[in-house]
Amino acid sequence: MREISYRQALNEALNEELVRDQTVFIAGEDVAIYGGAYGVTADLWKKYGDERVKDTPISESAIVGVGLGAALTGMRPVVEIMYIDFIPLALEQINNQAAKIRYMFGGKCTVPLTIRTEGGAGRTLGAHHSQSLESWLIHIPGLKVVMPATPYDAKGLLKSSIRDNNPVVFIEHKMLYNSKGPVPEEEYLIPIGQADIKRQGRDVTVITYSRMVLFSLQAAATLEKEGVSVEVVDLRTLLPMDIDTIVASVRKTHRVLIVEEDCKTGGTGAEIGMLIMEHAFDELDAPVKRLAGADVPMPKSPVLEKLAIPDPERICQAIREVLQ
Amino acid sequence: MREISYRQALNEALNEELVRDQTVFIAGEDVAIYGGAYGVTADLWKKYGDERVKDTPISESAIVGVGLGAALTGMRPVVEIMYIDFIPLALEQINNQAAKIRYMFGGKCTVPLTIRTEGGAGRTLGAHHSQSLESWLIHIPGLKVVMPATPYDAKGLLKSSIRDNNPVVFIEHKMLYNSKGPVPEEEYLIPIGQADIKRQGRDVTVITYSRMVLFSLQAAATLEKEGVSVEVVDLRTLLPMDIDTIVASVRKTHRVLIVEEDCKTGGTGAEIGMLIMEHAFDELDAPVKRLAGADVPMPKSPVLEKLAIPDPERICQAIREVLQ
Amino acid sequence: MAVDKQLALKLLKQMMEIRQFEDKIMELLARNIAEGGSHLYAGMEAVAVGAISVLRPDDYITSTHRGHGHAIAKDGDLKALMAEILGKKTGVCKGKGGSLHLADVSKGNLGANGVVGGSIGMATGAALSVKMRKTNQVVVCFFGDGATNQGIFYESLNIAALWKLPVVYVCENNFYGMSVSVKRASAVEDLSRKALAFDMPAETVNGMDVLAVREAVGRRVEEARNQFQPSLVVANTYRYYGHSRSDPRVYRTREEEKFWKERDPIPNFASRMIEQGVLIEQEVTELEEQVRQSIEEATRYAIDSPWPEPEELYTDLYA
Amino acid sequence: MAVDKQLALKLLKQMMEIRQFEDKIMELLARNIAEGGSHLYAGMEAVAVGAISVLRPDDYITSTHRGHGHAIAKDGDLKALMAEILGKKTGVCKGKGGSLHLADVSKGNLGANGVVGGSIGMATGAALSVKMRKTNQVVVCFFGDGATNQGIFYESLNIAALWKLPVVYVCENNFYGMSVSVKRASAVEDLSRKALAFDMPAETVNGMDVLAVREAVGRRVEEARNQFQPSLVVANTYRYYGHSRSDPRVYRTREEEKFWKERDPIPNFASRMIEQGVLIEQEVTELEEQVRQSIEEATRYAIDSPWPEPEELYTDLYA
Ligand SMILES: Cc1ncc(C[n+]2csc(CCOP(=O)(O)OP(=O)(O)O)c2C)c(N)n1
Ligand SMILES: Cc1ncc(C[n+]2csc(CCOP(=O)(O)OP(=O)(O)O)c2C)c(N)n1
Ligand SMILES: [Mg+2]
Ligand SMILES: [Mg+2]
């Protein structure tokens, strides 16, 4: 199968959905002429023009509000918030409006709105361009939250997100845009809400998502040489969470490490661990362990940034601890 | 000891700190002439005037921004966000600016800013006036998060929050303003970061905070008649969390129920449960259980609202389940 | 603008419906039949009724925390609205929204909103949608004077002016945002000046005069519909009740209240229509009685309606 | 405004420092010695230098994502700034802030900001603080044209105008917010019109002319200091480099870039000073060389400086 980048996969998903459905349009800062801060919307403006690929003012709150209004009235917008760090500017519109409106209105409307954004550290951009705030978003009933790790998942899940009749926050990772992987030429969709076992294993389960999937797979490969068989569960969707896949894996390995890049306290890992406690306590041979980002704003300094998030080596070490 | 209301206790705390420190001032919507939507700032404007008790425009983002700028430059502001539901409007300023600035600037400044707000359901106000979003806030390193349940704690903790040189979000509960309790005449402080055992017990620990402390105490009283001894831990501060008190209680009872009003997924209960898993797994005779708000926007209908949050009866039932 | 009998009766009826609806809710709140907050529209009827009277049924509105008036004027069903405010299963939002979230998307009402300024972005997006779908619809976006201090108000007006969207922003200036007067909250007292930041046409109109509102908004709606020209109309008006039930109204004087009540949009419009020979006294009295009956009916309906089933707590969340 | 030799040398020196600092960083980025993003101020020097030249040392500024220029003009230490941009322990923020968070509160620089518009509220609050503390200080708040589309910009200007706060808002209009031109982002091209919404005095100034900026901001700062009169000054200017390192600048023409480079604030100011007999050619050349050396020194210092210790990951969080 051909290999393309995560960026390219996302770009294809957008292009295909723009072709398929005339109600789809894109709006966000620098998405048109510039093609997106990370190049995800490259060339779409040339093809579809201002009418369907819209540069917006730097107005995050209104970007989501406008997307929501359009979604409520017959369109299927894909809006972009350039960095997840700026999601707080739009969070009132996401949390109070987009996610709640259908329920508040007694189910009498739909909100087919996709909000694309990106997160994560790794480019030494400091505290305002390196966050991972997904745990806020999983705390918003009415929303779906998708966070793909591979080009294949990125394409299939973005297409599903756009077609979903609910508001979806689709979170990319800045360090994945250049990563490559197999993506079929023919069309496919990946259902929202299904985790994927990226590597089968017997001794321990690593539950993770986004860039940390890649690091966890590296760690698993390292540990294989030590005779440790690591299963890597890529959640792909954080809300709704695929508890069945998680529990099945715990039943198999009885030991769990959760790896997340987001800072630890109040992170998604807490929810995952607590779900395991609730659904599979008796299956556990050891406490579930979290390896997460440090509970600090992301420091600029490259040496500190590396220490602030998990890396393959520390994942190995944490797995060893879980196995003891 | 005299008994006063939670509202009155807060009002006294504000008044005493205004007297004590000329750099303290209050700003927020309807805090001056009106005395606050829930009356917490009553009469302060008459005493201190516009200079120190300031009505603001409906501009949540700037309210926090202005508070932050003043805090950075020699003042000690207490700003109010009328409902926690509107915190998202100011979350960029809270998360990216107020909480991170000291760290980003290498420790070369302090941010003595208190943000008062209120949360919770119970008045059938619907989805925009009934949320409990504290779990977002505990996910912000650099912040402190305080959530008192009694008039005594409210007063002592608000005074400590105002004197703290870090940004503190102080979350009151709309159903507690009229509740009464003993509060000494003489001045006292309660340190931020210390949980309080509101009732000693042997058989099971209930970990909770804010209004759910009262419900949990009611449940404990009911269960006492059935011969069950329930310990009720009131966290009081959610960030930093008093893990020592939690673990000590778990060591004693070996069974835990977490009760929170906030909706379950991604809530504070997940963090508490996961901390117990990490610090006291071997002490557990049963999985930690969560009783939390329903994962839905708060419905208006009084019958549904009651079902959407824990009540003493359901707390009793959940405790019985933990004991099985 | 000439007013024929049919129109006069329609405008008068809607204003009476709103007034009596609100008075009834005040009563239900006092009797603890209605629970929770309710921001009442009494006094401001001419704004919603005048503005919405120029719209097509398929045009959109967005509303506010003070949304009963807009909902009624946008062809809302009195029974379903009253039931919603009580939180009943038969409510227009199945009891899940309540007073603060009255909505009926099928009738073009994109909803009341508990967040001040919360629907201004949405209105702007709906206007983008109708422009893209080429349906010739228009959006009227209601909000209060207080909302003009919210960031999203400015962000949205900028986008509407920049992209030429068919939306008319109607600011209901009742001179207070809760207790804070416009003078104490806004650097400009003439709120129409805020449109200058976007080169957007703006004007101020007497919001106690249903025909004046109708005329001004009518003109602006036509510009929006035919030329994609957005605009801001500030309607000066007054709310009769306190901001919410518990408000002792210490921030305003009884004289000021009296001043505005003398300009009550309902009797003033009625007597003008009688003077002009469009209506006769008896028609007005009959109409009032007819409205009284429909409000009573709606109230009975709402009170007698069942509560939502417990299972409904979890329905209607995802599509 | 008469300019004496000392002032001319100071202004020229600071502008040269900024330009050479930015050129050096471009070089360090290319050589992968500097990592991450850097938004460079080259081309815009006259704005920071002109505006800050009228301030007292204890006056405050707030800065932007493009903050090197402001930091240098506000008496920043070149070594500590350069070290910060490389993320070194000796940086002004101990390597924790980086380019996007350069700050030195002790010198009145309340910091660069990674969020567009993120410091406008803060500047307004600092102005409230100085007014309450009666210290007679003034705040100058810098932001870009793009930031004038952020809600908090309007919320803050309203509060400043309403409360009469001693703050001068300086909009650095370089005609683009990243790739989006003012024409494509703002309903008004004349950004000073945005102050009309708050009855705030505003004016536009040639941001390539350090003396013009100095004169305009100087006047406004005095109004702020003496009469608590806030204002908006729009300085039209241009950034020479792309928005960030990876920007191919497809959204603007090479002719346009040429037009602005012909108006370069540094040589233009230098020759004007020479023409007017305030400076002589040689002084300019010597100054340039002196600045070159200090930038080299700062660079060497920064490169040779140690990284933060691992423990520092957890320090400086809480007071
Ligand atoms: C964002 C936000 N802040 C505060 C409130 C609390 N609140 C509800 S109504 C109101 C006043 C609104 O004033 P205005 O916009 O003038 O509308 P009016 O009530 O006068 O009709 C306030 C402060 C809110 N609902 N939303
Ligand atoms: C809230 C926010 N949205 C988007 C960005 C990404 N971004 C960084 S700089 C920039 C353009 C800013 O334009 P302007 O305010 O004109 O300043 P300039 O870069 O031209 O100096 C954008 C969109 C950001 N940093 N913050
Ligand atoms: Mg009002
Ligand atoms: Mg710019």
Side-chain angles (χ1 to χ4, degrees):
Chain A
M1 206 185 292
R2 70 183 178 142
E3 300 231 323
I4 62 173
S5 71
Y6 187 86
R7 171 187 292 110
Q8 179 67 24
L10 293 164
N11 184 269
E12 287 185 6
L14 292 169
N15 186 47
E16 289 173 18
E17 296 307 301
L18 281 163
V19 169
R20 180 178 176 272
D21 182 345
Q22 285 303 308
T23 67
V24 172
F25 72 95
I26 294 174
E29 293 157 19
D30 304 284
V31 297
I33 304 184
Y34 198 85
Y38 285 99
V40 172
T41 54
D43 296 327
L44 297 177
W45 178 70
K46 277 191 206 128
K47 268 194 196 145
Y48 302 99
D50 277 337
E51 178 74 11
R52 298 188 66 199
V53 181
K54 295 180 148 358
D55 276 333
T56 63
I58 307 174
S59 306
E60 280 76 7
S61 188
I63 289 171
V64 172
V66 166
L68 169 57
L72 266 180
T73 57
M75 301 299 286
R76 195 170 282 280
V78 183
V79 301
E80 178 176 318
I81 300 295
M82 197 185 282
Y83 284 76
I84 201 168
D85 310 74
F86 315 142
I87 280 277
L89 287 165
L91 203 53
E92 191 285 312
Q93 290 288 305
I94 297 173
N95 174 66
N96 290 341
Q97 313 297 340
K100 292 191 174 35
I101 251 180
R102 177 178 166 80
Y103 186 87
M104 294 189 303
F105 292 4
K108 295 185 182 167
C109 62
T110 55
V111 179
L113 170 67
T114 302
I115 302 169
R116 282 184 47 245
T117 189
E118 68 83 67
R123 297 191 60 230
T124 80
L125 297 172
H128 287 174
H129 290 74
S130 310
Q131 292 173 84
S132 303
L133 296 169
E134 57 271 10
S135 77
W136 287 358
L137 299 166
I138 69 166
H139 193 53
I140 305 180
L143 213 61
K144 298 186 179 183
V145 181
V146 174
M147 253 178 122
T150 66
Y152 179 80
D153 289 345
K155 181 168 179 185
L157 279 164
L158 181 52
K159 287 169 64 90
S160 292
S161 299
I162 295 172
R163 295 188 198 180
D164 201 287
N165 281 331
N166 299 286
V168 179
V169 180
F170 187 94
I171 309 174
E172 303 158 15
H173 195 296
K174 57 172 69 60
M175 301 306 282
L176 293 178
Y177 286 120
N178 290 328
S179 69
K180 292 203 162 183
V183 174
E185 304 270 0
E186 53 288 1
E187 171 163 89
Y188 66 97
L189 297 171
I190 295 176
I192 293 176
Q194 288 188 5
D196 183 44
I197 300 186
K198 284 280 188 304
R199 181 188 171 112
Q200 300 272 351
R202 287 177 320 272
D203 301 331
V204 57
T205 297
V206 173
I207 302 175
T208 187
Y209 55 91
S210 193
R211 186 188 189 200
M212 291 298 134
V213 172
L214 275 59
F215 282 11
S216 299
L217 289 170
Q218 284 180 45
T222 305
L223 288 172
E224 190 172 35
K225 293 175 205 142
E226 300 177 16
V228 178
S229 168
V230 179
E231 175 143 313
V232 177
V233 176
D234 175 3
L235 291 174
R236 299 199 296 196
T237 298
L238 299 188
L239 184 68
M241 201 166 297
D242 183 357
I243 183 67
D244 294 342
T245 300
I246 294 173
V247 168
S249 183
V250 176
R251 289 232 161 86
K252 191 162 122 184
T253 66
H254 310 289
R255 289 175 189 269
V256 182
L257 173 71
I258 298 162
V259 181
E260 65 188 318
E261 182 176 336
D262 203 353
C263 48
K264 185 187 256 180
T265 300
T268 303
E271 179 62 32
I272 301 167
M274 193 63 200
L275 283 173
I276 294 171
M277 169 106 76
E278 288 167 335
H279 289 86
F281 183 71
D282 294 334
E283 298 285 340
L284 289 174
D285 287 347
V288 174
K289 189 181 166 68
R290 282 185 287 184
L291 182 67
D295 277 328
V296 296
M298 188 57 62
K300 149 70 192 183
S301 189
V303 297
L304 296 181
E305 187 190 44
K306 283 191 194 81
L307 292 172
I309 60 167
D311 65 10
E313 197 178 315
R314 265 169 285 142
I315 296 173
C316 284
Q317 201 182 309
I319 292 174
R320 287 188 202 105
E321 285 170 29
V322 171
L323 285 168
Q324 264 161 18
Chain B
M1 205 184 294
R2 70 182 178 142
E3 300 232 323
I4 62 172
S5 70
Y6 188 86
R7 172 187 294 110
Q8 179 65 24
L10 292 165
N11 184 269
E12 287 185 5
L14 291 169
N15 186 46
E16 288 172 20
E17 296 306 304
L18 281 163
V19 169
R20 179 177 177 273
D21 182 345
Q22 285 302 308
T23 67
V24 172
F25 72 95
I26 293 175
E29 294 158 18
D30 304 283
V31 297
I33 305 184
Y34 197 86
Y38 285 99
V40 172
T41 54
D43 296 327
L44 298 176
W45 177 71
K46 277 190 207 129
K47 271 194 193 142
Y48 303 100
D50 277 337
E51 179 72 11
R52 298 186 69 199
V53 181
K54 294 178 146 7
D55 276 333
T56 63
I58 306 174
S59 306
E60 279 76 7
S61 187
I63 289 170
V64 172
V66 165
L68 169 57
L72 266 179
T73 57
M75 301 299 287
R76 196 171 281 281
V78 183
V79 301
E80 176 176 320
I81 300 295
M82 196 185 284
Y83 285 76
I84 201 169
D85 311 73
F86 315 141
I87 281 276
L89 287 164
L91 203 53
E92 191 286 312
Q93 290 289 305
I94 297 173
N95 173 67
N96 290 340
Q97 313 297 341
K100 292 191 175 33
I101 248 179
R102 177 177 165 80
Y103 186 88
M104 294 190 302
F105 292 4
K108 295 185 181 167
C109 63
T110 55
V111 180
L113 171 66
T114 302
I115 302 169
R116 282 185 48 245
T117 189
E118 67 83 64
R123 297 190 61 230
T124 79
L125 296 173
H128 287 173
H129 290 74
S130 309
Q131 291 173 84
S132 304
L133 296 169
E134 58 270 11
S135 77
W136 287 358
L137 300 165
I138 68 166
H139 192 54
I140 305 180
L143 213 61
K144 297 187 179 182
V145 181
V146 174
M147 251 177 124
T150 66
Y152 179 80
D153 290 345
K155 181 167 180 187
L157 279 164
L158 181 52
K159 287 170 64 91
S160 293
S161 299
I162 295 172
R163 296 189 198 180
D164 200 286
N165 282 331
N166 300 286
V168 179
V169 181
F170 186 94
I171 308 173
E172 303 158 15
H173 195 295
K174 59 172 68 58
M175 301 306 283
L176 293 178
Y177 286 120
N178 291 327
S179 68
K180 293 203 160 184
V183 173
E185 304 270 359
E186 54 286 4
E187 171 162 270
Y188 66 97
L189 296 172
I190 296 177
I192 293 176
Q194 288 189 5
D196 183 45
I197 300 186
K198 284 281 187 305
R199 180 190 174 107
Q200 300 271 354
R202 288 177 320 270
D203 301 329
V204 57
T205 298
V206 173
I207 301 175
T208 187
Y209 55 90
S210 193
R211 186 188 189 199
M212 291 298 134
V213 171
L214 275 59
F215 281 12
S216 299
L217 288 170
Q218 284 181 44
T222 304
L223 288 172
E224 191 174 35
K225 294 174 206 144
E226 300 177 17
V228 178
S229 167
V230 179
E231 175 143 313
V232 178
V233 176
D234 175 3
L235 292 173
R236 301 198 295 195
T237 298
L238 300 189
L239 184 67
M241 202 168 294
D242 183 356
I243 184 68
D244 294 343
T245 300
I246 294 173
V247 168
S249 183
V250 176
R251 288 231 162 85
K252 191 161 120 185
T253 65
H254 310 289
R255 291 175 188 268
V256 182
L257 173 71
I258 298 162
V259 180
E260 65 188 319
E261 182 176 335
D262 202 354
C263 49
K264 184 187 257 179
T265 300
T268 303
E271 180 62 31
I272 301 168
M274 193 64 199
L275 283 173
I276 294 171
M277 170 106 77
E278 289 166 335
H279 290 85
F281 183 71
D282 293 334
E283 298 285 341
L284 289 175
D285 288 345
V288 175
K289 190 181 166 66
R290 282 185 287 185
L291 183 66
D295 277 329
V296 295
M298 189 58 62
K300 149 69 192 184
S301 189
V303 297
L304 297 181
E305 187 190 45
K306 283 192 193 82
L307 292 172
I309 60 167
D311 65 10
E313 197 178 317
R314 264 168 287 141
I315 296 173
C316 285
Q317 200 181 312
I319 293 174
R320 287 188 201 108
E321 286 169 29
V322 172
L323 285 168
Q324 267 161 17
Chain C
M1 243 185 351
V3 179
D4 63 16
K5 186 183 202 95
Q6 199 191 342
L7 176 62
L9 283 172
K10 181 185 141 192
L11 297 176
L12 193 57
K13 181 172 169 217
Q14 282 190 346
M15 290 199 290
M16 286 174 170
E17 281 176 346
I18 296 172
R19 176 67 54 85
Q20 292 195 30
F21 191 91
E22 300 299 57
D23 290 347
K24 177 58 75 180
I25 289 186
M26 203 60 192
E27 182 197 322
L28 295 176
L29 284 166
R31 291 164 55 200
N32 279 321
I33 290 172
E35 288 182 66
S38 258
H39 304 101
L40 302 181
Y41 201 72
M44 299 164 63
E45 293 86 351
V47 186
V49 171
I52 294 172
S53 73
V54 302
L55 296 184
R56 301 194 323 212
D58 67 338
D59 286 335
Y60 292 113
I61 65 161
T62 64
S63 166
T64 67
H65 57 286
R66 200 175 297 290
H68 307 173
H70 312 123
I72 291 173
K74 196 73 171 84
D75 196 23
D77 177 69
L78 294 176
K79 290 178 181 172
L81 294 175
M82 189 65 90
E84 186 59 37
I85 289 165
L86 299 196
K88 295 301 182 77
K89 188 184 167 76
T90 53
V92 63
C93 302
K94 302 188 193 162
K96 287 178 172 169
S99 167
L100 281 164
H101 305 287
L102 289 180
D104 192 346
V105 176
S106 70
K107 288 187 173 159
N109 179 357
L110 301 182
N113 209 303
V115 178
V116 169
S119 52
I120 306 180
M122 221 183 291
T124 310
L128 173 63
S129 166
V130 304
K131 188 173 183 185
M132 290 182 79
R133 291 185 290 105
K134 303 190 172 48
T135 52
N136 226 19
Q137 291 157 286
V138 161
V139 183
V140 169
C141 171
F142 293 99
F143 49 87
D145 47 283
T148 70
N149 299 315
Q150 274 288 0
I152 198 168
F153 164 75
Y154 300 93
E155 293 186 358
S156 299
L157 263 67
N158 181 51
I159 289 176
L162 182 69
W163 290 353
K164 294 263 167 215
L165 301 181
V167 50
V168 180
Y169 297 98
V170 175
C171 175
E172 305 181 322
N173 177 18
N174 58 14
F175 299 95
Y176 296 89
M178 205 159 153
S179 71
V180 184
S181 64
V182 168
K183 274 190 229 286
R184 281 171 68 83
S186 172
V188 292
E189 278 191 65
D190 173 0
L191 300 176
S192 73
R193 289 181 63 82
K194 300 198 176 186
L196 290 172
F198 314 104
D199 261 349
M200 184 187 281
E203 67 189 283
T204 301
V205 67
N206 177 1
M208 303 304 266
D209 178 347
V210 67
L211 294 181
V213 174
R214 190 177 142 81
E215 189 277 325
V217 176
R219 227 178 334 100
R220 297 308 185 178
V221 161
E222 286 322 301
E223 288 168 13
R225 204 184 301 282
N226 302 325
Q227 300 149 49
F228 297 117
Q229 175 62 60
S231 55
L232 170 64
V233 176
V234 178
N236 290 340
T237 180
Y238 207 71
R239 72 168 146 71
Y240 284 0
Y241 290 111
H243 173 70
S244 60
R245 184 163 35 158
S246 53
D247 170 7
R249 314 191 319 279
V250 292
Y251 48 83
R252 66 188 202 189
T253 63
R254 296 305 86 96
E255 290 71 50
E256 184 182 286
E257 292 179 353
K258 184 159 163 281
F259 172 89
W260 286 98
K261 285 192 178 173
E262 281 162 5
R263 281 147 187 82
D264 193 304
I266 301 173
N268 279 332
F269 177 66
S271 31
R272 211 160 113 204
M273 288 302 100
I274 292 167
E275 255 166 48
Q276 293 181 12
V278 181
L279 298 179
I280 58 170
E281 183 88 44
Q282 197 194 342
E283 285 166 326
V284 173
T285 330
E286 278 174 16
L287 190 63
E288 190 141 28
E289 177 53 24
Q290 183 192 327
V291 167
R292 208 189 57 74
Q293 282 179 22
S294 57
I295 297 291
E296 284 308 324
E297 250 173 67
T299 309
R300 220 171 313 120
Y301 174 84
I303 292 176
D304 292 347
S305 283
W307 296 110
E309 315 294 331
E311 310 82 80
E312 292 183 61
L313 179 59
Y314 293 101
T315 57
D316 299 321
L317 185 55
Y318 290 99
Chain D
M1 245 189 344
V3 180
D4 64 14
K5 190 185 201 93
Q6 199 191 343
L7 177 63
L9 283 172
K10 181 186 141 192
L11 298 175
L12 193 57
K13 180 172 169 219
Q14 282 190 346
M15 290 198 289
M16 286 174 170
E17 281 175 347
I18 297 172
R19 176 68 54 87
Q20 292 194 33
F21 191 92
E22 300 299 58
D23 289 347
K24 178 58 75 182
I25 289 187
M26 201 60 191
E27 182 197 321
L28 295 177
L29 284 166
R31 291 165 55 201
N32 278 319
I33 291 172
E35 288 182 65
S38 258
H39 304 101
L40 303 180
Y41 201 72
M44 298 163 63
E45 293 85 352
V47 186
V49 170
I52 294 172
S53 73
V54 302
L55 295 183
R56 301 193 324 213
D58 67 338
D59 286 335
Y60 292 112
I61 65 160
T62 63
S63 167
T64 68
H65 58 286
R66 200 175 296 290
H68 307 173
H70 312 124
I72 291 173
K74 195 77 171 82
D75 196 25
D77 178 69
L78 294 176
K79 290 178 180 170
L81 293 175
M82 189 66 90
E84 186 59 38
I85 288 165
L86 300 195
K88 295 301 182 76
K89 188 185 168 75
T90 55
V92 63
C93 302
K94 303 189 191 160
K96 288 179 173 169
S99 166
L100 282 164
H101 305 287
L102 289 180
D104 193 344
V105 175
S106 71
K107 289 188 173 158
N109 179 357
L110 301 183
N113 209 304
V115 178
V116 169
S119 51
I120 306 181
M122 222 184 290
T124 310
L128 172 64
S129 166
V130 305
K131 188 172 183 185
M132 290 181 79
R133 291 185 291 107
K134 301 189 172 49
T135 52
N136 225 19
Q137 291 157 285
V138 161
V139 183
V140 169
C141 172
F142 293 99
F143 49 87
D145 47 282
T148 70
N149 300 314
Q150 274 288 2
I152 198 167
F153 165 75
Y154 300 93
E155 292 185 0
S156 300
L157 264 67
N158 180 52
I159 289 176
L162 182 70
W163 291 353
K164 294 264 168 216
L165 301 181
V167 49
V168 180
Y169 297 98
V170 176
C171 175
E172 306 181 322
N173 178 19
N174 58 14
F175 299 95
Y176 297 88
M178 202 160 155
S179 71
V180 184
S181 64
V182 169
K183 274 190 231 283
R184 281 172 68 83
S186 172
V188 292
E189 278 189 65
D190 173 1
L191 299 177
S192 73
R193 289 181 62 82
K194 299 197 177 187
L196 291 172
F198 313 103
D199 260 348
M200 184 186 282
E203 67 189 283
T204 301
V205 66
N206 178 1
M208 303 304 266
D209 178 347
V210 68
L211 294 180
V213 174
R214 191 176 141 80
E215 189 276 325
V217 176
R219 227 178 335 98
R220 296 308 186 178
V221 161
E222 286 324 300
E223 288 168 14
R225 206 183 302 282
N226 302 324
Q227 302 150 47
F228 297 117
Q229 175 61 62
S231 55
L232 170 65
V233 176
V234 178
N236 289 339
T237 181
Y238 207 70
R239 72 169 145 73
Y240 285 1
Y241 289 112
H243 172 71
S244 60
R245 183 161 38 155
S246 54
D247 171 5
R249 315 193 316 281
V250 292
Y251 48 84
R252 65 189 202 188
T253 63
R254 296 306 84 97
E255 290 71 49
E256 183 183 286
E257 292 180 353
K258 184 159 163 282
F259 172 91
W260 286 98
K261 286 192 177 171
E262 282 162 5
R263 281 149 188 81
D264 193 304
I266 301 174
N268 279 332
F269 178 65
S271 30
R272 211 160 111 203
M273 289 302 98
I274 292 168
E275 257 166 47
Q276 293 181 12
V278 181
L279 298 180
I280 58 169
E281 183 88 45
Q282 198 194 340
E283 286 167 326
V284 174
T285 330
E286 279 174 16
L287 190 63
E288 188 140 31
E289 177 54 23
Q290 184 193 325
V291 168
R292 208 189 57 72
Q293 282 179 22
S294 58
I295 297 292
E296 284 308 323
E297 252 173 65
T299 307
R300 219 172 310 118
Y301 174 84
I303 291 176
D304 293 345
S305 282
W307 295 111
E309 315 294 331
E311 310 80 81
E312 292 183 59
L313 179 59
Y314 293 101
T315 57
D316 299 322
L317 185 54
Y318 289 98

